[in-house]
Amino acid sequence: MKRTTIFIDEPMLRRLKQKARAEGKSFAQCVREAVAAYVAPAPPGGPRPLPSWVGMFSFGPPHDTSERVDEIIAEAMRRKGPHG
């Protein structure tokens, strides 16, 4: 194994350390797992395509999204049209 240096902003560093503690792993192990996942080869047949509805919603303030779900979906469907 080879030692290296990376630069991570403070909020991400705190989250990574918290995750490592919560999972009972070392900070270095979590970084290695994240890098391994990032460089992992695509599954056979290539990456799975995203569902057609990904990205079609625009949300208002987060506090009322669950209360407005029907309105948000209806507006997205109007913008996208009947044949998406």
Side-chain angles (χ1 to χ4, degrees):
M1 207 167 297
K2 179 111 173 124
R3 179 182 291 244
T4 190
T5 301
I6 59 172
F7 293 91
I8 301 176
D9 63 35
E10 289 293 326
M12 186 176 296
L13 181 62
R14 280 192 301 275
R15 289 193 310 269
L16 184 55
K17 286 181 177 181
Q18 289 170 348
K19 183 171 180 64
R21 273 193 306 273
E23 295 183 3
K25 298 176 182 177
S26 71
F27 174 81
Q29 183 178 357
C30 285
V31 170
R32 285 191 298 270
E33 289 174 3
V35 171
Y38 182 76
V39 299
R48 293 188 332 201
L50 294 174
S52 63
W53 50 265
V54 169
M56 71 185 284
F57 302 103
S58 63
F59 298 100
H63 66 276
D64 71 346
T65 301
S66 63
E67 297 168 9
R68 297 179 46 234
V69 67
D70 293 332
E71 173 190 337
I72 292 168
I73 292 172
E75 176 60 28
M77 295 304 286
R78 278 193 295 278
R79 283 196 315 263
K80 190 159 179 133
H83 301 291

